[in-house]
Structure formats: C-alpha cells, structure tokens
Amino acid sequence: MSPDVPLLNAYKQDFFLKRFPQTLLGGPRLRLGFRAPPYVYVNQIILFLIPWVWGGVGTLLYEFAVLEDYHTAALSGGLMLFTAFAIQLTGLYARSKSMTVQRILTSDILAEEDEHEFSSCAGAETIKFLIPGKKYMANTIFHSVLAGVVCALGTWYLLPSRVTLLCGSVGGAALLFVFGWVTVCTGEYSLIVNTATETATFQTQDTYEITPLMRPLYIFFFVSVDLAHRFMIHVPALEQMNQILHILFIFLPFLWALGTLPPPDALFLWAMEQVLEFGLGGSPMSTHLWLLAMLLISAGVAVTSYFIPSPVCVVLFMTGLGFLLSLNLREMGFTFKHHVTRHRARTKSKALPSDSRTHYTWKECGFYIIMLALALVESSLLHHFADFSQMSRSSPQTIVGYMLMILLAILWILREIQSVYIFGVFRNPFYPKDMHTVTVFLKKQAKLMKIGVARRTLLTLVSPFVMIAFLSLDSSLQRPQSVAASIGFTRAFRMVWQNTENALLETVTVAVTHALIFNKDLWWNRNLNTGLRLLLVGIVRDRLVQFVSKLQFAVTVLLASWTEKKQRRKSAATLCVLNTVFSPFVLLVVVLSTLLSSPLLPLFTLPVFLVGFPRPIRSWPGAVGTAASVCADTVYYHQMVPGLTIALQSAMAAGSLSLFLPGSHYLGRFQDRLLWIMILERGYTYCSINIKGLELQETSCHTAEAGRVDEVFEGAFVREESTRGCSLNEHFGNILTPCTVLPVKLYSDARNVLSGIIDSHENLKEFKDDLAKILVWILVQYCSRKPSEQENVHKTENKGKAPLLIPPTSNPSPQPQCPEDTDSSVSEIFDDWCDGNIFDDEPTSKKGKEGKGQLKVFPGTNSSLPGSTELWKVDDLSTDRVPDNTLYKSVMLGYPAPDKGQQEGMVSIPLVEFSSHSHMVSLPEEWRSNCLPDVRMKEMSSIFPEDWYQFVLRHLECLHSEEKTSNVLEEIAKDKVLKDSYVHVAMTCYFSLFGIDNVTPSPSHILKVYSGVLPWSTAFDWLMEKPELFQLALKAFRYTLKLMIDKASLGPIDNFKELTSYLEEYENDWYIGLVSDEKWKEAVLQEKPYLFSLGYDPNMGVYTGRVLTLQELLIQLGKLNAEAVRGQWANLSWELLYATNDDEERYSIQAHPLLLRNLTVQAADPPLGYPIYSSKPLHIHLF
C-alpha cells in the first residue's frame, strides 16, 4: 500500500475539525456540520461567559474597596452556584418534556448524524442540545457545587491587584487576567454545561462522569499554590513557583487540547506509581488495588520510622519491613490461605478444588526467614558497634563502597555475557552459535548457565548484605530523625531487596561521590543525607534511561520516514527539515516527556512529536488478562505458557534478558507464533509478567513485520561455527534487540500436500479393506474397556449357563424412524450430500418409518421351535419375583414387524446361545438392531475380516477375569453369535460411511466423511440415532486415513502385529480429527504428542495434511524499546479514542520494519488492540 494514504479520511477530517475547537474551548460547539440558527451560537457564548461575568462583578467590588478579597470570592462563588443549579434544573426540565428532537430529513447519506431542527431560542430541543445534562443526580449536585467553588477561587486567584504584584507590570497583569478567565470559563463550561471530549482520554467509557472534573482539578492545583504563597510569604521558592504558574495558567487550554495533562484517573494511578517507586522504594504493581494497598503500607512504614527514637530500632525496623515488603506478599498470602483451606478440607474429608497457581513451599519460606534474620543481625551489629567518625578513605563505609564497586563490575560482566549481544551492538563471542537443535544448544549453553548461577548467587545472597552494611554504617542515622531522612532511608533499605541491581548502581554512584568529594561545604554533603542522595540518584538514573530510549525512538522515527522507501510520504522531506531546524524544540519535547515520565507521542507515527499525558507504566486502565480476541488459535498459546514461564524463570535468573524492570517489553518468535511479554512488577526473587499471543492468521502487514522479526533473529542466532570475532548487530536501529533463545515444550506445525497419496487409486482401494479392519479393532477395544452391562447378571446362581441371543433374521426389517428433533447438523449433512454430485443414487425425500428398529421385549407363550424358551410379558416380570422356570428372556433383534392386524401374542423366535464370557466384549443391545436388507447384509458380510477379528480377540489385554486369560480369549474368539453381532454392527457402519454405492471412494468423499458429513444411505438414520457409535465409526474412518498416509510414506504393513502397533500408537499418542473440534483443543491442552487434521486448500486445489508435534523447541526472544512501545500505544489511544480513526487501512497501522507498528498495535489491550491470548499476571520465582 502507498505510504501516502490519508492520515484521516474526508469524513474523519471534518469530524476532527469540529471536535478540536470544542476541546480547546471546553465544550461550546461553535462549528457544526449543519446550518443552525444564530441564537444557538449566541446561547453558547453567553453560557461560556457567565463565570467571567460573576467574577468580574466580584473583582470590581474588590478593586473599589467595597468588599474584601475573601468576601469577593464568596460573592462570585455564590452567584455561580445559583447559576449552575439553574442551568442544571433547566436541562432537567427540558429532558422531561415529551417533545423529542426532530432530525433534518436529508437525502445525503453522508450528512452529519446529529443534525437537529430548532424551533425557538428557548425551546426544549435547543436546551437539550446546549445542556445534555448529567447521568446521575448526585453528579448534578456535586458538579454544581464544584462550579461555585471554582468560580470563587478563580476570582481570588485572578484579582488584578494581586496579579500586578506578582508580575510587576500592569500590561502583564491585564493579559493574565483576561486569558486567565478564559481558562476558568473553559473549566466551568465543561463542568456544568457540556463536557468536552478530552484529547487525553484514558478510559474507553466515562461511566462515572470523571472527565468533567479534569479541568477544575488543575485549576485547584494552581490556586492551591497561590493560597500557600499567601500564608507563607517569606518563601522565595514558593513565590517564584507562584509567578511561573500564573503565567502557565493561561496556557492550560492549549495543554488540555494537546493532551499533555492527564485525566484524573490516569493522574491518580501515575502519581501512586511514582511515589511508590521513587519515594518509597517499591515497584509498580500488577493490579490497581494492590498498588493502592502497597502505597498505603509503605507510607505507613516511612511515617512510623519517623517516630522511633532509637537509631538501632530505626535501622532494624527499616531493614525488616523493607525486606518483607519486597516479597510477593500476595502470593504468599494465597499460599497460606490454600494450606488453611486444605487443612480444613482434610478434617472434613472433602476434596480440594484443583488450582494451577504456583505455591510457595516451606523450603522457600524457611529461606526468607533465614535471610530476614541475617539481615536484622547484620544491620543491628554494624550500626551498634561501628565507628561513625569523619568520612575518610579508610572509613568502614568507604571500604564497603569499594566492595560494592567490585560487585557491580562483576555482575555487569556476568549479565552481559548471558545475552547474544553486548550493549545490544557487539555479538557475544561466548554465546552458542549452533542452535539448530535443542540438545546441541543446551549442551553449549551449560557453561553460561553455570556463570548464571554464580551471578544469581552474588545478586541474591551477597549484594543485599553488602548494601545493608553500607547503609548501616552511615552516620546520618545517628542524627535526630527528620522527615527527609525517614523517607530517604526507608526507600534505600527497601530498594536493597526490591530492585537489587538498580539499588547497587545507585549505591555505587553515591559511594563514588563519597570517595571523590570530601568537602563538607559542598551542597551535596551539606544539605543531603545518604538516603536523599540515593533517592535523587535513583530519579536521575530512571529519567536518564528514559531520555536515551525516547531519543533513540525519535531518531528512529525521523530517519525511517526518509530512509525506508515504503514509509516515505510526500511530506517526509518537509518533516525532516522542520525537525532539523527546530531540533532544540524537539529536544525540549523529549526532555519534558522524560521529566514527566510520560510517553513521547509521534502523531500518526510520523516525526511530529508531542508530549503524551502521564499514565501508569502498563499504559491501559483495565485489569491484566481480562480481555482478548479469543479464537481457535488461542489454545496453542494457552498450552505453551506454563513451559514458557519455566524457561523465562531460568533466563531471568541467569541475566539473559538483560536488565528487566516493570514496563519492559519482550517479543518472542517461533514459527508462525508471536509472543508479547511485559514485566508488570518486580521484587526480591520474583517478578510478575503478562504474556500475550498475537494472531496466527497473518495479514499482509503482519507478515511483513513478522518477516523482519525473523530476519533480526536470524542475524543474531543463525550463524556458522566458523564465524569468528565480535560482529556487529546489523539491525541496531530496530526497536527489537535479540536477547536469547528459550527451550520450551510446544507444538511444531507442519503442513503437507497429500497429492499422490489421497488421490491414488491403489491407496483408496486399500483404504476400504483397512477400514473394515479398523472398525473391528475400534469396536472390540471399546467394548472390552467399557463396564459390562450384564456383568451382574452373570454372577447369579445360574452361573455357567449361557445367555440367549437371537441372530439377525433373513427377512429385511424396516428402516428406523428418524426422530423429529434430529440435530440440525444432521440436516446440514444431508443437504450437503444431496447437493453434491459424488453419488448417483440419492433420495429426494425421506419417508416416515413405522418403528425404530431397536431391541424389543415381546409377550409370548410356549415356543413352537426346538431350543426356544418361554417368552413372558413385560408386565408379568416383577423386580421382586421371577418365575422359576424363567431362566432367560429373549429379545427381538432385527425381526420383521408383524403385519397390521396380526396376532402379536404368539411369536416363534429361534434362539442361539452366547458363550459364558462373551459379555465382556459384547456390543450394546441398542446397536444390534437391523436396518439393512438381508441381501445387502450378506454382501457386506463377505467383506468382514474374520482372521483379523480372531487375531484382535486373541490379543486382548484389558479383560478382567478370574479364569486364565488365554482360555477366556479362546472361548470368546470361537463364539459365533458374538461374531455375527460384530459382523452386523461393523458392516452397517461400513456401509453408512460409503453410502449407497459401494465403490472406491474419491478424495472429496474422504474429506467429507472425515469432516463428519456422511452420505445418505438406508443406514444413515440408524447411525445418527447412536451418537456414540457414530463417533466410533468416524474415529475408525480417520484412523484409516492416517494409516493410508503412513503406509504411503513409510511402506506397506507386513502383518497384523505391525497393524496393531500402528493403531495403538494412534490411540495413545495421536488425536486425529478437525482443528475446529472441541476435542482438538482438549488434546492440545492435554499435550497429546501428535495431532493430525485433513484439509483442502481451495486456492491451490490440493488436499493438505496438518501435523502438530509436541517437542522441546527453541523460542527466540528479544527486548523491545519500551519507550517506542509506549509512544505508539499513546498514539493509538489518541487516534481511536479522540480522532476516532478506526480505519483498518490507516497509515499508523501499516507495516513498519523498524518500529514494528502493526505488531505493537495488535499487542495493545482490547478494545484498541486485538491479541488472541492474554494471561493473568504470572508470578515467576527467580531463585
């Protein structure tokens, strides 16, 4: 597709040009898509200026010394409060009117949807258009009160005399007064008249009407600083801040329109994360509720430490609580709850529900207890006995600092050699080059894994104690406790465990400054304690990493817009020149987004950069793993996630994934599968992740980017053994940097063309012979494994006497009647075969049948035939008493129905005896009914493989008998009655699978029957009435097809034993069916070793076979530029939620080989993205 596709189509452009002025002004709709009367615009202007009017009244009274400033604010606020209630009540009255808004009838189908017809200036339809009203009455009251407060504070904030004192000039004060009131009016209009659609949209739906509170919230913040300055006059920094904010106040409408300031919900979550991570030493959490709970607990720890008088107790408190809060308390609580529940269940003798979550073991709990005890002992002893003399090069803390420097260097080296690239640029010479098989890779990676164990030991067991020693020896803890010290050291002792790698880097930085700077008069040493120094270093470290990532992302977007020919638009040259000329402003935008820790938003993914609004590190408001575009391919990701989690555990512990922090993103690739992994939270020896699976049915854009991903991974992992030296990363500009490969047990997908096999006449002829054998084998195996229905009958005092069974008679029986409520799928099957041209003899209609051809109990008298027994009426057979001379009952098997009017009381039926053990493999009675003419049955009986039948029976292994197995099997094999029943059932199934014409099947016939679409025949209804038998026949048919393919590939079968081994393998290790079957999904989740499916490619006109093989294979994993992901997600949110640009062919979703734009959009949370799988937060133990 051409890169010059419109960024917005014509309709969306007009829509955007109407929405943006409304956002800028706070809600007035001054640009409509239809012609409206002038009073519509006049009314909006009046409503917009009302706050200014009431504020102006109060301002005049203050300037003329009639009222004091606070009286002036109260008067303006009261007037605005009354006006707000009047506006809301007017809107309620208009909505209660029965008259509805009339639409303009137009022949233009592309006309604006919300065209209205207005009858008067104050008409109900006009009011409803101007004042849509609130959804909840509570918001009607609350927002009205809030409007009065905002007007009062705005009047106080913008008093001319006060502003003149701050600015020092009347002209500047006049500008601030005029444009300041414009800011207040935009906030008031959005609050009580009509809420503007904000550019900074976080939630897809504003359920609780939070959006109107956004602008008043920021007005309150600016006013609060002014109020603080009023009551704290002698604070120069506060005065300067107040002056800056007064100037910035007039630019708030532009910041709101540009989407730089976050909505209240996003601001709240972002602020909690920032305070928890940088102020209290915690980590962003995987759920909002746990984030709030952890923030409150951590803040409580910092406050409590301030009131502890003893320095030693303070150190012990901070060390212990820092360690405990860094653990995965949620999962530990779940484990405790699970053990309590299990104990109660045992006492009550109830079974426990199964749970797939990972539980902490007592061994791990013991490890944590030991680590906590050692940390407490170390910190208390060092702090109690240490010499807190002046800082020198030989002081204990300085020596510990040197140890930390050595540790940092060692850990950094050990981490870098675990990945395929060093610094993401130079290929690691120690990383294995040959990765064609899992065995070879694991063998060559064994040395790296040993190094990984050493690194994990140093990082988990050694580094925390060395850092605790450094903190415990700090002299700042000996001074009187202050708020700054409590916050700084609470964070420091928490970071030691929560994020050991970053804490080590920060501590080494502070130690280096200690070693280099001994001047007490320097600001660094005079005003800051060690805890605050670590806090500042941590913020600088985080912002510096963000700045580098954002700058790399911006440069990639800029260069790719010109260097990538498929991405080069006509405006590319202009945009490159503008970015070069205004590079200081571009750099300022990058710096500002870095300081706010907000995404760098490339508008439409072009090199036009904006500061996105700050939001949580996960970028999306919904709970993790609650939504996904589930499809048939979801099951493959579901199956591989447990194994992938185990592989990630080893890779993370060894350091193969580089430095992973909350907000880090990784991309995994295997065959046609793409995995998106995000780090949600991290603590001591654990981290929480979310795994998403992207679509397998690849679009053109998906294919293009997936191809580039393969190219990037091949350049890193597929190398010759003879290659020497440290080569460079050829794809350094890509946002994807290869890290490592992970051995995971999953399904490999192979698709083969079956031309020459399924259409071979010889193979199809053998197919019919094999089907008869496999039908017999399936039926025998089924009957030998099922619980015998007659087992209890044979354990009576008449044990040893044989039961009686009537074989099929020579007279044809009527066909069974098809139930009226036959499943719709059967009708579809019938119609499918009736529409085709494969069979010549196809019935045009179905005729009603007299009976269902099932086993019937007949009343009777003395039999007139030798060997017959007396037949009893069913009513005469009591459950408590059976006549002594009644040894057996007889059943009518396929016997012709008596003619109408014929006497039914006397029927003579020849009976044949079963052997004593035949019930172990006897077929269910309901299957023995006859539905085929005698001629057809005799013809089919000649096909029955009697020698194979004898072989199968003599080699059964699942019979449960007290007698010798070989004798029992020999007796069963010689039972002619049992054989006749198998002939009848197997051959009837055989006939129903091939239909009326018993000829060599065609490939299309095989595909239809394989898919469960049977041809019509006289046995069709008979088989459909027996779902279990139908499934067995279908299973036999599918096994036969698989056997035909195997024989064509591996050679013919020599004997029955080899055939049996094939069938047993199919039964135990294979699932042979359709991809759309529910059992296919079950087989994948149960991890069947092999799965097979038959299909047809209409484009190529060939039959295909698909084989899934479960084996341990390598998944290639790379790290994504987190800021590139956040930036593209921010643009996606802006485009879809504000500009409503949901065009499937829009520019920002097209394939981009460097930014991986299409894949990034897919990985977004629904409804904006469409991953087909998204896991709940997965907790990984790292030690």
Side-chain angles (χ1 to χ4, degrees):
M1 180 174 290
S2 171
D4 287 306
V5 294
L7 301 177
L8 290 171
N9 58 40
Y11 175 77
K12 296 298 183 182
Q13 288 177 13
D14 183 64
F15 174 81
F16 177 78
L17 292 177
K18 288 185 298 183
R19 171 170 280 191
F20 187 75
Q22 181 184 359
T23 302
L24 183 63
L25 296 176
R29 289 178 278 186
L30 301 180
R31 188 179 188 277
L32 302 176
F34 57 94
R35 181 174 296 179
Y39 56 76
V40 173
Y41 302 99
V42 174
N43 287 343
Q44 293 185 81
I45 295 174
I46 292 174
L47 291 173
F48 181 81
L49 295 177
I50 283 177
W52 198 346
V53 172
W54 298 140
V57 171
T59 300
L60 288 176
L61 294 176
Y62 173 76
E63 293 299 330
F64 287 109
V66 177
L67 295 175
E68 296 293 334
D69 54 356
Y70 47 87
H71 291 155
T72 297
L75 176 63
S76 300
L79 293 173
M80 191 64 221
L81 176 63
F82 175 79
T83 305
F85 274 115
I87 292 173
Q88 293 300 315
L89 292 175
T90 303
L92 286 173
Y93 173 76
R95 290 198 303 275
S96 66
K97 300 278 287 183
S98 59
M99 183 175 62
T100 58
V101 177
Q102 297 181 1
R103 304 273 178 148
I104 296 178
L105 298 178
T106 175
S107 59
D108 184 7
I109 61 174
L110 298 178
E112 182 63 30
E113 294 180 357
D114 57 348
E115 295 183 5
H116 300 278
E117 183 177 304
F118 305 99
S119 59
S120 64
C121 178
E125 68 279 2
T126 305
I127 295 175
K128 282 188 281 187
F129 174 77
L130 297 177
I131 311 170
K134 309 294 180 182
K135 290 189 292 185
Y136 307 106
M137 182 57 66
N139 283 337
T140 300
I141 299 173
F142 175 65
H143 291 178
S144 299
V145 173
L146 192 61
V149 176
V150 169
C151 186
L153 294 178
T155 303
W156 201 0
Y157 186 72
L158 295 173
L159 290 173
S161 58
R162 173 72 176 172
V163 176
T164 303
L165 290 175
L166 289 174
C167 295
S169 66
V170 178
L175 288 174
L176 293 179
F177 178 80
V178 172
F179 290 104
W181 269 108
V182 172
T183 300
V184 174
C185 289
T186 59
E188 293 278 20
Y189 196 96
S190 182
L191 186 62
I192 62 172
V193 182
N194 183 25
T195 303
T197 303
E198 298 292 349
T199 311
T201 304
F202 188 56
Q203 301 279 356
T204 55
Q205 293 182 344
D206 188 17
T207 306
Y208 302 104
E209 296 179 312
I210 298 175
T211 303
L213 304 177
M214 174 180 171
R215 303 194 181 205
L217 177 67
Y218 289 100
I219 293 175
F220 281 146
F221 171 74
F222 280 74
V223 173
S224 64
V225 176
D226 182 70
L227 292 176
H229 180 225
R230 286 173 182 266
F231 297 103
M232 302 172 63
I233 302 175
H234 303 293
V235 181
L238 194 59
E239 181 179 1
Q240 294 177 1
M241 180 182 294
N242 195 18
Q243 292 173 348
I244 295 172
L245 291 181
H246 267 79
I247 298 173
L248 189 61
F249 188 77
I250 66 176
F251 293 102
L252 280 180
F254 297 98
L255 295 178
W256 288 326
L258 292 175
T260 303
L261 300 178
D265 47 356
L267 176 64
F268 182 63
L269 295 173
W270 170 81
M272 286 198 301
E273 281 190 355
Q274 295 295 306
V275 172
L276 178 61
E277 183 175 3
F278 301 106
L280 301 172
S283 164
M285 310 306 291
S286 57
T287 64
H288 299 325
L289 183 61
W290 192 245
L291 174 65
L292 177 61
M294 187 57 70
L295 177 66
L296 295 177
I297 295 172
S298 302
V301 171
V303 172
T304 305
S305 65
Y306 175 76
F307 294 100
I308 299 177
S310 171
V312 175
C313 293
V314 169
V315 172
L316 286 174
F317 181 78
M318 291 180 176
T319 303
L321 268 297
F323 176 80
L324 292 176
L325 293 179
S326 67
L327 299 177
N328 193 357
L329 298 179
R330 180 174 37 192
E331 287 300 301
M332 295 182 73
F334 174 80
T335 302
F336 177 76
K337 179 181 177 181
H338 174 78
H339 284 296
V340 171
T341 305
R342 185 172 61 180
H343 177 72
R344 291 178 179 176
R346 284 177 178 175
T347 57
K348 295 180 181 180
S349 300
K350 292 182 180 179
L352 275 175
S354 59
D355 197 296
S356 59
R357 297 175 66 171
T358 304
H359 300 281
Y360 279 88
T361 62
W362 290 113
K363 181 179 178 181
E364 291 172 310
C365 294
F367 168 75
Y368 292 139
I369 293 174
I370 294 173
M371 293 294 291
L372 176 61
L374 292 176
L376 293 175
V377 170
E378 179 198 18
S379 59
S380 60
L381 292 178
L382 287 176
H383 188 76
H384 186 269
F385 296 105
D387 180 17
F388 298 99
S389 58
Q390 299 294 330
M391 176 68 70
S392 64
R393 299 184 184 277
S394 60
S395 64
Q397 190 178 26
T398 304
I399 295 174
V400 174
Y402 292 142
M403 295 173 60
L404 289 172
M405 296 176 199
I406 298 173
L407 263 177
L408 178 63
I410 294 174
L411 287 174
W412 176 82
I413 294 173
L414 295 181
R415 186 187 70 197
E416 288 298 320
I417 65 175
Q418 293 292 326
S419 299
V420 67
Y421 283 120
I422 299 175
F423 294 123
V425 180
F426 306 100
R427 195 185 193 283
N428 181 7
F430 301 100
Y431 199 84
K433 295 184 177 63
D434 185 5
M435 284 173 284
H436 294 291
T437 62
V438 178
T439 306
V440 174
F441 170 75
L442 293 179
K443 184 177 180 180
K444 295 189 175 183
Q445 198 192 27
K447 294 181 180 179
L448 289 181
M449 295 305 296
K450 293 179 181 178
I451 296 175
V453 171
R455 176 187 174 276
R456 182 171 54 190
T457 303
L458 290 176
L459 183 65
T460 307
L461 301 180
V462 179
S463 299
F465 291 104
V466 180
M467 284 187 284
I468 287 177
F470 182 86
L471 295 174
S472 301
L473 294 171
D474 192 80
S475 59
S476 301
L477 293 172
Q478 291 293 327
R479 302 169 191 165
Q481 194 76 344
S482 63
V483 175
S486 297
I487 294 175
F489 279 103
T490 298
R491 177 191 177 278
F493 279 100
R494 172 83 173 271
M495 279 289 292
V496 166
W497 308 99
Q498 189 82 49
N499 196 330
T500 308
E501 290 183 88
N502 282 342
L504 185 60
L505 177 61
E506 296 167 10
T507 308
V508 167
T509 303
V510 172
V512 169
T513 58
H514 281 178
L516 299 178
I517 303 174
F518 293 98
N519 186 1
K520 282 189 174 183
D521 296 331
L522 195 65
W523 169 81
W524 178 266
N525 289 331
R526 185 180 69 252
N527 298 332
L528 300 178
N529 57 60
T530 302
L532 286 181
R533 293 171 195 155
L534 289 170
L535 190 150
L536 290 177
V537 170
I539 294 176
V540 171
R541 172 199 54 78
D542 177 79
R543 296 304 189 261
L544 185 61
V545 172
Q546 284 195 39
F547 176 77
V548 173
S549 298
K550 284 181 169 68
L551 190 61
Q552 181 182 358
F553 172 50
V555 172
T556 301
V557 173
L558 180 61
L559 295 180
S561 66
W562 179 258
T563 57
E564 294 289 335
K565 293 183 179 180
K566 293 183 178 181
Q567 304 299 322
R568 188 185 302 170
R569 297 174 62 89
K570 295 179 180 179
S571 59
T574 304
L575 291 175
C576 290
V577 171
L578 290 176
N579 276 274
T580 304
V581 173
F582 296 100
S583 56
F585 295 97
V586 175
L587 192 61
L588 180 63
V589 170
V590 175
V591 170
L592 184 59
S593 66
T594 300
L595 293 177
L596 294 176
S597 188
S598 61
L600 180 65
L601 192 155
L603 201 60
F604 299 105
T605 64
L606 292 172
V608 179
F609 301 103
L610 300 175
V611 179
F613 66 87
R615 63 198 78 193
I617 199 70
R618 290 196 284 110
S619 297
W620 307 112
V624 176
T626 56
S629 303
V630 179
C631 66
D633 295 327
T634 302
V635 67
Y636 303 116
Y637 290 110
H638 198 336
Q639 176 272 328
M640 69 187 299
V641 162
L644 178 62
T645 304
I646 296 174
L648 284 172
Q649 177 181 3
S650 302
M652 289 177 173
S656 301
L657 302 188
S658 186
L659 181 62
F660 59 95
L661 301 171
S664 298
H665 296 264
Y666 295 87
L667 185 67
R669 177 70 169 168
F670 170 74
Q671 287 188 351
D672 58 350
R673 269 159 270 183
L674 280 163
L675 294 155
W676 194 284
I677 303 170
M678 182 179 181
I679 309 297
L680 301 175
E681 63 178 274
R682 183 180 179 182
Y684 184 63
T685 68
Y686 89 96
C687 76
S688 180
I689 66 172
N690 167 241
I691 300 178
K692 294 177 182 177
L694 306 188
E695 62 180 359
L696 303 187
Q697 300 296 329
E698 300 178 351
T699 60
S700 57
C701 295
H702 182 107
T703 304
E705 290 189 354
R708 178 54 66 95
V709 170
D710 292 335
E711 184 180 338
V712 172
F713 281 136
E714 288 175 5
F717 299 120
V718 182
R719 304 181 67 85
E720 299 294 335
E721 282 288 342
S722 58
T723 305
R724 298 183 179 275
C726 296
S727 57
L728 298 177
N729 181 6
E730 299 176 357
H731 303 277
F732 178 71
N734 199 295
I735 67 169
L736 176 65
T737 302
C739 291
T740 187
V741 293
L742 305 176
V744 180
K745 193 175 184 181
L746 46 77
Y747 282 100
S748 63
D749 195 348
R751 302 168 191 259
N752 303 313
V753 176
L754 300 181
S755 299
I757 298 178
I758 196 172
D759 53 0
S760 170
H761 182 74
E762 294 182 0
N763 291 341
L764 294 174
K765 186 176 180 181
E766 292 182 6
F767 179 91
K768 296 188 65 177
D769 298 335
D770 292 336
L771 177 59
K773 296 178 183 178
I774 295 178
L775 271 170
V776 171
W777 187 86
I778 292 289
L779 291 174
V780 171
Q781 294 296 320
Y782 170 81
C783 294
S784 63
R785 287 185 172 91
K786 72 177 181 65
S788 177
E789 298 176 356
Q790 301 177 358
E791 185 174 355
N792 294 330
V793 177
H794 288 268
K795 292 182 179 179
T796 62
E797 60 183 63
N798 297 318
K799 183 178 180 181
K801 294 187 178 181
L804 302 178
L805 183 70
I806 304 174
T809 64
S810 59
N811 297 325
S813 65
Q815 298 177 14
Q817 179 181 357
C818 181
E820 295 178 358
D821 57 346
T822 302
D823 191 275
S824 61
S825 62
V826 177
S827 300
E828 294 173 2
I829 291 171
F830 180 78
D831 294 339
D832 188 11
W833 280 98
C834 288
D835 293 338
N837 296 322
I838 298 176
F839 301 98
D840 296 331
D841 300 331
E842 294 182 357
T844 57
S845 63
K846 290 184 179 180
K847 297 181 180 180
K849 307 297 183 292
E850 294 285 340
K852 291 192 176 182
Q854 56 188 2
L855 302 181
K856 301 178 181 179
V857 179
F858 281 82
T861 57
N862 294 332
S863 177
S864 60
L865 297 178
S868 64
T869 59
E870 187 177 23
L871 302 179
W872 290 79
K873 294 183 179 180
V874 177
D875 296 338
D876 295 337
L877 299 178
S878 172
T879 55
D880 298 327
R881 176 181 172 274
V882 178
D884 295 337
N885 60 344
T886 304
L887 299 179
Y888 310 103
K889 69 176 181 178
S890 64
V891 295
M892 177 70 75
L893 176 59
Y895 212 77
D899 295 335
K900 186 175 181 180
Q902 182 179 348
Q903 179 67 28
E904 296 180 1
M906 298 286 294
V907 179
S908 299
I909 308 171
L911 300 179
V912 183
E913 295 184 354
F914 253 154
S915 68
S916 60
H917 295 93
S918 296
H919 67 279
M920 296 181 180
V921 291
S922 63
L923 293 163
E925 292 184 0
E926 61 270 17
W927 293 1
R928 303 172 193 166
S929 59
N930 195 7
C931 65
L932 296 178
D934 184 59
V935 176
R936 176 67 72 178
M937 181 54 65
K938 286 184 177 180
E939 176 186 347
M940 303 299 294
S941 300
S942 62
I943 309 176
F944 184 79
E946 185 172 353
D947 51 348
W948 166 252
Y949 167 78
Q950 300 288 341
F951 176 84
V952 172
L953 285 179
R954 286 187 171 90
H955 289 80
L956 281 177
E957 298 178 354
C958 54
L959 291 181
H960 303 283
S961 176
E962 299 177 358
E963 301 182 26
K964 191 175 180 181
T965 304
S966 59
N967 296 335
V968 172
L969 294 177
E970 186 68 25
E971 179 184 338
I972 294 175
K974 293 179 179 179
D975 189 341
K976 186 177 184 302
V977 177
L978 180 66
K979 188 201 76 170
D980 290 342
S981 65
Y982 270 94
V983 171
H984 165 69
V985 175
M987 292 299 100
T988 305
C989 293
Y990 183 91
F991 175 78
S992 63
L993 293 175
F994 287 108
I996 298 174
D997 290 335
N998 187 18
V999 296
T1000 303
S1002 65
S1004 60
H1005 176 98
I1006 289 181
L1007 178 61
K1008 285 186 176 182
V1009 177
Y1010 183 93
S1011 303
V1013 183
L1014 270 63
W1016 190 92
S1017 66
T1018 54
F1020 178 82
D1021 293 341
W1022 176 87
L1023 187 59
M1024 289 297 105
E1025 289 176 351
K1026 304 165 181 58
E1028 198 170 8
L1029 180 59
F1030 170 72
Q1031 291 299 326
L1032 292 176
L1034 185 60
K1035 181 179 179 181
F1037 191 91
R1038 291 172 174 177
Y1039 280 14
T1040 308
L1041 174 68
K1042 184 65 176 65
L1043 181 65
M1044 181 180 73
I1045 297 173
D1046 288 345
K1047 288 167 62 177
S1049 304
L1050 306 177
I1053 295 177
D1054 297 330
N1055 50 56
F1056 286 163
K1057 287 187 178 181
E1058 188 176 354
L1059 176 58
T1060 303
S1061 65
Y1062 271 97
L1063 298 179
E1064 289 177 350
E1065 182 184 356
Y1066 296 159
E1067 186 73 17
N1068 299 325
D1069 298 337
W1070 286 79
Y1071 176 78
I1072 303 174
L1074 295 175
V1075 177
S1076 57
D1077 290 343
E1078 192 64 29
K1079 289 185 178 181
W1080 179 282
K1081 299 179 182 178
E1082 295 176 4
V1084 172
L1085 295 178
Q1086 294 170 4
E1087 296 192 340
K1088 276 277 188 180
Y1090 307 97
L1091 291 90
F1092 173 83
S1093 177
L1094 178 68
Y1096 179 75
D1097 188 347
N1099 297 324
M1100 299 177 61
V1102 295
Y1103 294 89
T1104 59
R1106 182 181 183 186
V1107 178
L1108 299 184
T1109 305
L1110 183 66
Q1111 54 187 320
E1112 194 171 33
L1113 298 168
L1114 298 176
I1115 293 181
Q1116 299 165 329
L1117 196 67
K1119 187 175 184 179
L1120 295 161
N1121 185 328
E1123 294 303 322
V1125 174
R1126 295 183 67 201
Q1128 293 183 75
W1129 280 355
N1131 173 73
L1132 175 67
S1133 178
W1134 179 87
E1135 270 198 81
L1136 294 185
L1137 298 182
Y1138 183 75
T1140 65
N1141 186 25
D1142 56 353
D1143 187 357
E1144 295 182 355
E1145 300 297 332
R1146 63 184 183 273
Y1147 173 77
S1148 60
I1149 203 176
Q1150 300 302 315
H1152 196 295
L1154 295 181
L1155 299 180
L1156 304 180
R1157 196 163 49 192
N1158 185 267
L1159 298 180
T1160 305
V1161 169
Q1162 287 185 52
D1165 281 6
L1168 305 187
Y1170 43 97
I1172 65 174
Y1173 172 80
S1174 182
S1175 70
K1176 296 286 186 180
L1178 302 173
H1179 301 278
I1180 299 179
H1181 297 182
L1182 301 180
F1183 189 78

